[in-house]
Every structure is written in C-alpha cells, then in structure tokens.
Amino acid sequence: MFGKSLFQSHQHNDFEFLKISKGTEDSPDLVFLHGMFGGLSNYDALVDYIDDYNIYVPSIPLYDFSVRQLKFTKMAKWLHSFMEEMDIKNPILLGNSMGGHLALEYTVQNPDNVAALILTGSSGLQERDFGSTFPRRNDRDYVRQQAAITFYDDDFVTEELMDEIMEVINDRGNLLNVLAIARETHEYSMEKYLPEIKQDVLLIWGKQDEITPPEVAEQFHKDLPNSRLKWIDECGHAPMMEHPKKFALYLNEFLVELKNKNATSIQ
C-alpha cells in the first residue's frame, strides 16, 4: 500500500523485501514491519534519517497466506524463515500497527534473537474495530472516511491510496484475509506476555492516534519492564510517515543508547 517504494525491491525464493545498506556488512540490522494495509513504502521517509545500519523491510504476504495461516503465532514463524534466509541475527525490530504485534510475538517465540524493539501504534492490547466487517466496502466515500482515521493529516489519503484499498477489499479472497487478520489483532492479546519481554523497548506514539489511542501506549509502557515512551503531537496511527524527522530523532537517540549500553557491557 501507499504506492511503490523509492528503493529497489528484491525477490529471493518466496520473499519480497527491501534491503537498504546504510553501513557496512558488520553493521547491526534493523527490520521494519508494516501494518495490515501497509507495504514496502511505509518507511521510505524514515530511512533518509538513519545511518550505520542495514535495513530490511519484508513485504508481509497477507493476501497470499491461507486464512488458517493468519495467526500471529504462524506469521512469526514466517518472519523467522525470512530472518534465516537473509542471515539476520539479533536484529532490532521496528513494527507499526499489526507489524508491532508481529514483532512482539516474534520476540516471545525467539527471545534470544531480538536485540531491541521499537513499537509505534502497535496492536496487541487494544485496537479500534473499524475493519472487521467492511459492511459498505463498495462505498468509496465511506472507505475514505475509515482510511482517514489512520492519519492526523487527511492529505495522506490520496486517490492512489484509495485505488489500492478499493482493489484489495473488493476482491473476495483478499477481503476474507483482511477480515481474518483484523479479527486476529483483536482476539490475540499480548498482555500476559509483555512482562516477560526483557529487551529495551522504545514506544513512539501519535497523540491523536484514534486506532490505538494514547491509553494503549500507556499500558504498553506500564507492562513492558524496559520501555520508554515518546509522543508526537498532531500525529495519528503512522508516526514514521507523518513525522519521519521527529520519529528519527527519537529512534536515533534510542539506537545510540543501545550502542553505548552494549559497549559498556563488553568492557
């Protein structure tokens, strides 16, 4: 979604992904995970502000999975297969919306193969239920209103984006998958697992997020033992898109802290 990425996409076996080298072969790896209606381009604006890391953005094939595969426990195994295929070890995971939920489940399954987490507008505790039925999916104006809830700035809901959304939800097979993953985000709570996640976690949240509102961020912050919470004003559910520069400021501060912490532990 949101158009084609500015970066070259790669195909390897059954995986489609971006690989953006901003460092050396020995630089740490960042893995960015998009949301349910997201895509490879979601992090394009953010990448410009990051240096000294190798960045991977896998395309999560939600419309290629069977409905039975659309469980976070199974999608985390798909992500692990991607990591193994790319030889990614101990990455820092950044997830938006459903991508944050996937990052959390992956961390629960593979606690020794995640260096740290960045969550932004993550599902996993509570998410607004506006996509579970799409009762008026042929009504473009109605769908536009629902899409606009994602952003503080309505200008992000372009005609190109609307065309992409309409194409997805008017295809019966795709729609069934959308409904399945929407149900999964509501039914599969991470609450009981959060205290077990010992990695450092950065939460970056839009103050005007209507899908995972501020109280969700506060709950994540309370339940994740090593978390810190940063707010972005005049911002909705996708801060890395609406305010990439501010997002990058918080992200880079966090990455520097991690580097300093690792250097100290080695000494």
Side-chain angles (χ1 to χ4, degrees), residues 28-56:
D29 295 325
L30 289 168
V31 177
F32 294 170
L33 302 171
H34 62 74
M36 181 169 62
F37 279 105
L40 292 178
S41 67
N42 287 186
Y43 294 98
D44 278 8
L46 179 63
V47 167
D48 286 340
Y49 298 101
I50 299 173
D51 291 310
D52 301 324
Y53 287 84
N54 294 312
I55 300 168
Y56 294 85

Side-chain angles (χ1 to χ4, degrees), residues 60-62 65-79 98 101-103 105-106 109 176-177 179-190:
I60 305 171
L62 296 177
F65 287 141
S66 69
V67 169
R68 286 183 297 177
Q69 289 176 302
L70 290 172
K71 303 290 184 183
F72 283 109
T73 52
K74 294 185 177 181
M75 288 194 292
K77 295 185 187 307
W78 170 88
L79 180 58
M98 179 206 75
H101 205 150
L102 177 55
E105 174 60 25
Y106 182 85
Q109 290 190 21
L176 290 175
N177 280 27
L179 299 181
I181 192 58
R183 285 192 297 271
E184 174 73 355
T185 60
H186 289 282
E187 294 174 1
Y188 186 58
S189 173
M190 302 300 299

Side-chain angles (χ1 to χ4, degrees), residues 134-237:
F134 283 102
R136 295 163 57 188
R137 66 180 186 272
N138 293 314
D139 185 337
R140 189 179 179 98
D141 289 337
Y142 169 77
V143 174
R144 185 191 302 276
Q145 290 173 11
Q146 301 307 305
I149 293 170
T150 304
F151 302 103
Y152 178 83
D153 182 354
D154 291 348
D155 288 345
F156 277 87
V157 185
T158 63
E159 291 305 313
E160 181 183 16
L161 174 60
M162 285 302 304
D163 289 342
E164 292 181 32
I165 293 175
M166 298 302 293
E167 182 178 354
V168 168
I169 65 176
N170 285 322
D171 179 289
R172 176 174 171 77
N174 289 345
L175 178 62
L176 290 175
N177 280 27
V178 167
L179 299 181
I181 192 58
R183 285 192 297 271
E184 174 73 355
T185 60
H186 289 282
E187 294 174 1
Y188 186 58
S189 173
M190 302 300 299
E191 184 174 7
K192 68 180 180 181
Y193 301 110
L194 298 182
E196 302 171 8
I197 295 175
K198 305 306 181 184
Q199 282 84 353
D200 287 298
V201 181
L202 173 63
L203 304 163
I204 304 178
W205 233 260
K207 282 189 176 181
Q208 289 76 32
D209 188 338
E210 296 186 45
I211 297 174
T212 49
E215 56 265 29
V216 176
E218 296 283 6
Q219 190 65 45
F220 272 122
H221 185 36
K222 177 184 175 186
D223 291 347
L224 287 162
N226 296 307
S227 67
R228 71 249 19 216
L229 174 58
K230 299 292 186 179
W231 298 102
I232 298 182
D233 198 11
E234 297 186 352
C235 182
H237 188 57

Side-chain angles (χ1 to χ4, degrees), residues 73-123:
T73 52
K74 294 185 177 181
M75 288 194 292
K77 295 185 187 307
W78 170 88
L79 180 58
H80 189 64
S81 296
F82 171 76
M83 302 276 202
E84 289 188 323
E85 195 73 29
M86 298 296 106
D87 195 29
I88 299 171
K89 295 180 174 65
N90 209 35
I92 298 167
L93 301 181
L94 191 167
N96 173 239
S97 195
M98 179 206 75
H101 205 150
L102 177 55
L104 287 166
E105 174 60 25
Y106 182 85
T107 303
V108 169
Q109 290 190 21
N110 305 276
D112 297 327
N113 194 43
V114 176
L117 289 166
I118 302 103
L119 305 177
T120 182
S122 177
S123 59

